[in-house]
Amino acid sequence: MITTKPERIILASDISGLGKVAVTAALPLFAICQLEVSVLPTVLLSSHTGAFPKVYIDDYTVGMQAFLKQWQSIGVEFSALVTGYLKSSQQITSLIDFIEQENLPLIVDPIMADNGKLYKGFDDHYISSMRTLCQKADLILPNLTEACFLADLPYQDNDLTEQFLKSLAQRLSELGAKKILLTGLPLSHDQIGVAYFDKEEGVFSLYRGKRFQQQFFGTGDMLTGLVAAAFVQGIDLQKCLPVFINFIEKSLVTTLKCDSDLRYGVYYQPHLGDLFKEFKRLLEVSNEK
Ligand code: PXL
């Protein structure tokens, strides 16, 4: 029987009405992983921007700052801040002020680029703001492109040897982030990788999953949510990562099998029961120690 109250985290990311990405992808996963979430919206969009035309976009910077102000004024306690899609350097500054005042652990998915290029709306100034945020983080989860931008190295996506990935992670840790998870690593035409680096513990581990040719939306947000949930509850990430990678892979297979329209996000619902059982086991083993 569970007798301890759940921890509460802040998830700072966008709310996209159509297409299960960012907050709408992550919330059910946080619930499965036993956490309470306070949503800090950064942008409101009628849909995600990856596949639909005529997207309505409402920058929520002013609202976001007002949310933080109210939460501070009523003295609510949080266990961590998890950041996803942010809109501007101004938002990053507000978040840094907040974690420093509240002394909060920080987990950053530095969403700004993919496939060697910055996303629309981001520039060099944003990269340096994001670097400052990552320097203060306990855990960062950049994809390969974001990692290269943050480390100020040219993008390369072939010949991703363990040695290269380790040196990339090492360079990011020298910037200040304590733990690093490099995500979405194209290891070969049919393999995608995730690499975990923890300088303090002397750990570098590479995990492999199946690489699909189709483009999915929200898979990075799913992984960030799951890893953040494990991290906040003190579960060894090395034990969780195979479980999370397997959950995402099964969900992608189901999405394709059901002939789902990929623009609407990953159909992970059929696998939430298994994820719940496996996560609960990981949590129990971790709590016994
Ligand atoms: O991580 C997916 C995502 C999140 N948020 C917004 C997006 C996308 C993907 O396109 O457009 C706004």
CSV table of all heavy atoms in Angstrom, one decimal, residues 13-16 19-23 25 43-45 47-51 55 57 84-85 109 111 119 215-222, ligand 1:
chain,number,residue,atom,x,y,z
A,13,SER,N,6.1,24.0,-20.5
A,13,SER,CA,6.1,23.7,-21.9
A,13,SER,C,4.9,24.2,-22.6
A,13,SER,O,4.1,24.9,-22.0
A,13,SER,CB,6.2,22.1,-22.0
A,13,SER,OG,6.7,21.8,-23.3
A,14,ASP,N,4.8,23.9,-23.9
A,14,ASP,CA,3.7,24.5,-24.6
A,14,ASP,C,2.4,23.6,-24.5
A,14,ASP,O,2.5,22.4,-24.2
A,14,ASP,CB,4.0,24.7,-26.1
A,14,ASP,CG,4.1,23.4,-26.9
A,14,ASP,OD1,3.1,22.8,-27.3
A,14,ASP,OD2,5.3,22.9,-27.0
A,15,ILE,N,1.3,24.2,-24.7
A,15,ILE,CA,0.0,23.5,-24.8
A,15,ILE,C,-0.4,23.6,-26.3
A,15,ILE,O,-0.7,24.7,-26.8
A,15,ILE,CB,-1.1,24.0,-23.9
A,15,ILE,CG1,-0.6,23.9,-22.4
A,15,ILE,CG2,-2.4,23.3,-24.1
A,15,ILE,CD1,-1.6,24.5,-21.4
A,16,SER,N,-0.4,22.5,-27.0
A,16,SER,CA,-0.9,22.4,-28.4
A,16,SER,C,-2.2,21.7,-28.4
A,16,SER,O,-2.4,20.6,-27.9
A,16,SER,CB,0.1,21.6,-29.2
A,16,SER,OG,1.3,22.3,-29.4
A,19,GLY,N,-2.9,17.4,-31.7
A,19,GLY,CA,-1.6,16.7,-31.8
A,19,GLY,C,-1.1,16.5,-30.4
A,19,GLY,O,-0.8,17.5,-29.7
A,20,LYS,N,-0.8,15.2,-30.0
A,20,LYS,CA,-0.4,15.0,-28.6
A,20,LYS,C,1.1,15.1,-28.5
A,20,LYS,O,1.9,14.2,-28.8
A,20,LYS,CB,-0.8,13.5,-28.3
A,20,LYS,CG,-0.9,13.2,-26.8
A,20,LYS,CD,-1.6,12.0,-26.6
A,20,LYS,CE,-0.8,10.8,-27.0
A,20,LYS,NZ,-1.6,9.6,-27.4
A,21,VAL,N,1.5,16.4,-28.2
A,21,VAL,CA,2.9,16.7,-28.0
A,21,VAL,C,3.0,17.5,-26.7
A,21,VAL,O,2.0,17.9,-26.1
A,21,VAL,CB,3.5,17.5,-29.1
A,21,VAL,CG1,3.4,16.8,-30.5
A,21,VAL,CG2,2.9,18.9,-29.2
A,22,ALA,N,4.3,17.7,-26.3
A,22,ALA,CA,4.6,18.6,-25.1
A,22,ALA,C,3.7,18.2,-23.9
A,22,ALA,O,3.6,17.0,-23.5
A,22,ALA,CB,4.4,20.0,-25.5
A,23,VAL,N,2.9,19.2,-23.3
A,23,VAL,CA,2.2,18.9,-22.1
A,23,VAL,C,1.2,17.8,-22.3
A,23,VAL,O,1.0,16.9,-21.4
A,23,VAL,CB,1.5,20.2,-21.7
A,23,VAL,CG1,0.4,20.0,-20.6
A,23,VAL,CG2,2.5,21.2,-21.1
A,25,ALA,N,1.2,15.3,-24.2
A,25,ALA,CA,1.8,13.9,-24.3
A,25,ALA,C,2.4,13.5,-22.9
A,25,ALA,O,2.3,12.3,-22.6
A,25,ALA,CB,3.0,14.0,-25.3
A,43,VAL,N,3.6,28.6,-24.3
A,43,VAL,CA,2.9,29.1,-25.6
A,43,VAL,C,1.6,28.3,-25.7
A,43,VAL,O,1.6,27.1,-25.3
A,43,VAL,CB,3.8,28.7,-26.8
A,43,VAL,CG1,3.3,29.5,-28.0
A,43,VAL,CG2,5.3,28.8,-26.6
A,44,LEU,N,0.6,28.9,-26.2
A,44,LEU,CA,-0.6,28.2,-26.5
A,44,LEU,C,-0.7,28.1,-28.0
A,44,LEU,O,-0.6,29.2,-28.7
A,44,LEU,CB,-1.9,28.9,-25.9
A,44,LEU,CG,-1.9,29.2,-24.4
A,44,LEU,CD1,-3.3,29.8,-24.0
A,44,LEU,CD2,-1.6,28.0,-23.6
A,45,LEU,N,-1.0,26.9,-28.5
A,45,LEU,CA,-1.1,26.8,-30.0
A,45,LEU,C,-2.3,26.0,-30.4
A,45,LEU,O,-2.7,25.1,-29.6
A,45,LEU,CB,0.1,26.0,-30.6
A,45,LEU,CG,1.5,26.5,-30.3
A,45,LEU,CD1,2.1,25.8,-29.1
A,45,LEU,CD2,2.4,26.3,-31.5
A,47,SER,N,-2.5,24.0,-32.8
A,47,SER,CA,-1.9,22.6,-33.0
A,47,SER,C,-0.4,22.7,-32.9
A,47,SER,O,0.1,23.8,-32.9
A,47,SER,CB,-2.3,22.2,-34.4
A,47,SER,OG,-1.5,22.9,-35.4
A,48,HIS,N,0.3,21.6,-32.9
A,48,HIS,CA,1.7,21.7,-33.0
A,48,HIS,C,2.1,22.2,-34.4
A,48,HIS,O,1.2,22.3,-35.3
A,48,HIS,CB,2.4,20.4,-32.6
A,48,HIS,CG,2.3,19.2,-33.6
A,48,HIS,ND1,2.8,19.2,-34.8
A,48,HIS,CD2,1.6,18.1,-33.5
A,48,HIS,CE1,2.6,18.1,-35.4
A,48,HIS,NE2,1.8,17.4,-34.6
A,49,THR,N,3.4,22.6,-34.5
A,49,THR,CA,3.7,23.3,-35.7
A,49,THR,C,4.4,22.4,-36.8
A,49,THR,O,4.7,22.9,-37.9
A,49,THR,CB,4.8,24.4,-35.4
A,49,THR,OG1,5.9,23.8,-34.8
A,49,THR,CG2,4.2,25.5,-34.4
A,50,GLY,N,4.5,21.1,-36.5
A,50,GLY,CA,5.2,20.2,-37.3
A,50,GLY,C,4.5,19.7,-38.6
A,50,GLY,O,5.2,19.2,-39.5
A,51,ALA,N,3.2,19.8,-38.6
A,51,ALA,CA,2.5,19.1,-39.7
A,51,ALA,C,1.2,19.7,-40.1
A,51,ALA,O,0.5,19.2,-41.1
A,51,ALA,CB,2.2,17.7,-39.3
A,55,VAL,N,-1.4,27.6,-38.1
A,55,VAL,CA,-1.4,27.4,-36.7
A,55,VAL,C,-1.6,28.7,-35.9
A,55,VAL,O,-0.9,29.7,-36.3
A,55,VAL,CB,-0.1,26.8,-36.2
A,55,VAL,CG1,-0.1,26.4,-34.7
A,55,VAL,CG2,0.3,25.6,-37.0
A,57,ILE,N,-0.9,30.9,-32.8
A,57,ILE,CA,0.1,30.8,-31.7
A,57,ILE,C,0.0,32.0,-30.8
A,57,ILE,O,0.0,33.1,-31.2
A,57,ILE,CB,1.6,30.8,-32.4
A,57,ILE,CG1,1.7,29.7,-33.3
A,57,ILE,CG2,2.6,30.8,-31.3
A,57,ILE,CD1,3.1,29.6,-34.0
A,84,GLY,N,10.4,22.2,-21.2
A,84,GLY,CA,10.3,21.6,-22.5
A,84,GLY,C,10.4,22.8,-23.5
A,84,GLY,O,11.4,23.6,-23.4
A,85,TYR,N,9.4,22.9,-24.3
A,85,TYR,CA,9.4,24.0,-25.4
A,85,TYR,C,9.2,25.3,-24.8
A,85,TYR,O,8.2,25.6,-24.2
A,85,TYR,CB,8.3,23.6,-26.4
A,85,TYR,CG,8.2,24.5,-27.6
A,85,TYR,CD1,8.9,24.1,-28.8
A,85,TYR,CD2,7.5,25.7,-27.6
A,85,TYR,CE1,8.9,24.9,-29.9
A,85,TYR,CE2,7.4,26.5,-28.7
A,85,TYR,CZ,8.1,26.1,-29.9
A,85,TYR,OH,8.1,26.9,-31.0
A,109,ASP,N,14.9,19.9,-21.2
A,109,ASP,CA,14.9,19.4,-22.6
A,109,ASP,C,15.1,20.6,-23.4
A,109,ASP,O,14.2,21.4,-23.6
A,109,ASP,CB,13.6,18.7,-22.9
A,109,ASP,CG,13.6,18.1,-24.3
A,109,ASP,OD1,14.5,18.3,-25.0
A,109,ASP,OD2,12.6,17.5,-24.6
A,111,ILE,N,14.8,22.1,-26.1
A,111,ILE,CA,14.1,22.0,-27.5
A,111,ILE,C,14.4,23.3,-28.3
A,111,ILE,O,14.0,24.4,-27.9
A,111,ILE,CB,12.6,21.9,-27.3
A,111,ILE,CG1,12.3,20.6,-26.6
A,111,ILE,CG2,11.9,21.9,-28.7
A,111,ILE,CD1,10.8,20.4,-26.3
A,119,TYR,N,15.1,25.2,-35.1
A,119,TYR,CA,13.7,25.4,-35.4
A,119,TYR,C,13.4,26.9,-35.7
A,119,TYR,O,14.1,27.8,-35.3
A,119,TYR,CB,12.8,25.0,-34.3
A,119,TYR,CG,12.8,23.5,-33.9
A,119,TYR,CD1,12.8,23.1,-32.6
A,119,TYR,CD2,12.7,22.5,-34.9
A,119,TYR,CE1,12.8,21.8,-32.3
A,119,TYR,CE2,12.8,21.2,-34.6
A,119,TYR,CZ,12.8,20.8,-33.3
A,119,TYR,OH,12.8,19.5,-32.9
A,215,GLN,N,8.1,9.8,-39.6
A,215,GLN,CA,8.3,10.9,-38.6
A,215,GLN,C,7.2,10.9,-37.6
A,215,GLN,O,6.0,11.0,-38.0
A,215,GLN,CB,8.4,12.3,-39.3
A,215,GLN,CG,8.9,13.3,-38.4
A,215,GLN,CD,8.7,14.7,-38.9
A,215,GLN,OE1,8.3,15.0,-40.0
A,215,GLN,NE2,9.0,15.7,-38.0
A,216,PHE,N,7.5,10.8,-36.4
A,216,PHE,CA,6.5,10.8,-35.3
A,216,PHE,C,6.6,12.1,-34.6
A,216,PHE,O,7.7,12.8,-34.6
A,216,PHE,CB,6.8,9.7,-34.3
A,216,PHE,CG,6.5,8.3,-34.9
A,216,PHE,CD1,7.6,7.6,-35.4
A,216,PHE,CD2,5.3,7.8,-34.9
A,216,PHE,CE1,7.4,6.3,-35.9
A,216,PHE,CE2,5.0,6.5,-35.4
A,216,PHE,CZ,6.1,5.8,-36.0
A,217,PHE,N,5.6,12.5,-33.9
A,217,PHE,CA,5.6,13.8,-33.1
A,217,PHE,C,5.4,13.4,-31.6
A,217,PHE,O,4.6,12.6,-31.2
A,217,PHE,CB,4.5,14.7,-33.6
A,217,PHE,CG,4.7,15.1,-35.0
A,217,PHE,CD1,4.1,14.4,-36.1
A,217,PHE,CD2,5.5,16.2,-35.3
A,217,PHE,CE1,4.4,14.8,-37.4
A,217,PHE,CE2,5.8,16.6,-36.6
A,217,PHE,CZ,5.2,15.9,-37.6
A,218,GLY,N,6.2,14.1,-30.8
A,218,GLY,CA,6.0,14.0,-29.3
A,218,GLY,C,6.9,12.9,-28.7
A,218,GLY,O,6.8,12.7,-27.5
A,219,THR,N,7.6,12.1,-29.5
A,219,THR,CA,8.4,11.0,-28.8
A,219,THR,C,9.5,11.6,-27.9
A,219,THR,O,9.7,11.0,-26.8
A,219,THR,CB,9.1,10.2,-29.9
A,219,THR,OG1,9.7,11.0,-30.8
A,219,THR,CG2,8.1,9.3,-30.6
A,220,GLY,N,10.1,12.8,-28.2
A,220,GLY,CA,11.1,13.4,-27.3
A,220,GLY,C,10.4,13.8,-26.0
A,220,GLY,O,10.9,13.7,-24.9
A,221,ASP,N,9.2,14.4,-26.2
A,221,ASP,CA,8.4,14.8,-25.0
A,221,ASP,C,8.1,13.7,-24.1
A,221,ASP,O,8.1,13.8,-22.8
A,221,ASP,CB,7.2,15.6,-25.4
A,221,ASP,CG,7.4,16.7,-26.4
A,221,ASP,OD1,8.4,17.4,-26.2
A,221,ASP,OD2,6.7,16.8,-27.3
A,222,MET,N,7.8,12.5,-24.7
A,222,MET,CA,7.4,11.3,-23.9
A,222,MET,C,8.7,10.9,-23.1
A,222,MET,O,8.6,10.6,-21.9
A,222,MET,CB,7.0,10.2,-24.8
A,222,MET,CG,5.6,10.3,-25.5
A,222,MET,SD,5.4,9.2,-26.8
A,222,MET,CE,5.5,7.6,-26.0
B,1,PXL,O1,8.0,18.1,-29.4
B,1,PXL,C1,7.0,18.2,-30.3
B,1,PXL,C2,6.4,19.6,-30.4
B,1,PXL,C3,6.1,20.3,-29.3
B,1,PXL,N1,5.6,21.6,-29.3
B,1,PXL,C4,5.4,22.2,-30.5
B,1,PXL,C5,5.7,21.5,-31.7
B,1,PXL,C6,6.2,20.2,-31.7
B,1,PXL,C7,6.6,19.4,-32.9
B,1,PXL,O2,6.4,19.9,-34.0
B,1,PXL,O3,5.5,22.1,-32.9
B,1,PXL,C8,4.8,23.5,-30.5
